[in-house]
Amino acid sequence: MSKVLEEVLAANKAYAADFGGKGDLPMPPGRRFAILTCMDARLDPAKYAGLAEGDAHVIRNAGGRASDDAIRSLVISYKLLATREWFVVHHTDCGMLTFTDEIMRRLLASSLKTASVDASGWHDSGQGPGSTEGNYVDWLTISDLAQSVVDDVQRIRNHPLVPKDIPIYGYIYDCKTGTLNEVAEATRIGKAA
Ligand SMILES: [Zn+2]
């Protein structure tokens, strides 16, 4: 068994042993909100936003971007599970700032193996085969953090499946301090009507 697999199963055993009354939680989030945020390993939404089991929906992807699939989850979150407030939280030092579609497509075309990064940018081992399928994916990279929060709040706000009465707040999490900093322009756009 891999070391990680072993560790995860051991941790879960300890967690389940101390599960308490959490087995009776209702499915709809008790605090009726959802957070869309990045998958970055340094971000722990349960900790940075004070969540316990049953409190809120957390939707995560690379960048915390308002992709079609993120919006699918948000719409389910509201329509079927009655959340009433949404957060979009991107963060400092996001990996999505370090590449473009063009770079990702080039890396994947040359090799599927893990690339490396240094001061001059991303490099490949070159160990093929790669694939040009990456050309058909919008990688939703980020060039300006505050702008990406504004863009994503705007996209969600204007989406035909999203009701106007749900406020959407835009924030940047600071990986150096653990602080959530508001992107005022995003929150303004995300205001409920
Ligand atoms: Zn990130």
Side-chain angles (χ1 to χ4, degrees):
M1 202 188 293
S2 90
K3 183 165 174 289
V4 166
L5 178 55
E6 212 170 296
E7 288 166 355
V8 166
L9 296 179
N12 179 253
K13 196 176 265 182
Y15 177 73
D18 196 22
F19 202 56
K22 289 180 287 200
D24 297 323
L25 288 169
M27 185 195 297
R31 293 171 60 200
R32 311 226 297 179
F33 72 100
I35 298 175
L36 170 60
T37 197
C38 185
M39 68 183 189
D40 192 293
R42 294 166 293 183
L43 274 59
D44 186 340
K47 288 183 184 153
Y48 78 54
L51 309 179
E53 291 89 342
D55 275 355
H57 284 144
V58 178
I59 298 147
R60 301 187 73 164
N61 63 33
R65 301 306 314 269
S67 61
D68 289 346
D69 193 64
I71 290 174
R72 177 186 69 88
S73 295
L74 287 168
V75 170
I76 290 170
S77 174
Y78 175 91
K79 179 75 182 173
L80 302 182
L81 294 162
T83 56
R84 289 293 175 264
E85 293 167 81
W86 294 346
F87 291 75
V88 172
V89 181
H90 296 176
H91 67 100
T92 60
D93 198 37
C94 186
M96 301 297 279
L97 288 157
T98 69
F99 66 100
T100 60
D101 276 351
E102 194 194 339
I103 290 169
M104 187 60 161
R105 288 167 182 167
R106 178 169 50 73
L107 291 170
L108 285 166
S110 84
S111 172
L112 301 183
K113 303 272 185 201
T114 301
S116 58
V117 68
D118 61 25
S120 69
W122 286 99
H123 308 284
D124 243 320
S125 66
Q127 200 186 331
S131 169
T132 54
E133 271 300 315
N135 298 349
Y136 300 91
V137 176
D138 183 344
W139 296 94
L140 300 176
T141 60
I142 296 174
S143 58
D144 178 295
L145 261 185
Q147 190 59 48
S148 68
V149 176
V150 168
D151 290 349
D152 284 2
V153 168
Q154 189 147 41
R155 179 167 197 231
I156 298 166
R157 174 81 294 152
N158 294 335
H159 197 281
L161 296 176
V162 172
K164 302 296 173 212
D165 63 350
I166 183 159
I168 309 162
Y169 314 122
Y171 278 82
I172 294 173
Y173 172 87
D174 187 334
C175 284
K176 289 259 184 272
T177 63
T179 312
L180 286 173
N181 294 308
E182 188 180 30
V183 179
E185 166 78 355
T187 299
R188 189 186 63 72
I189 290 166
K191 219 168 146 301

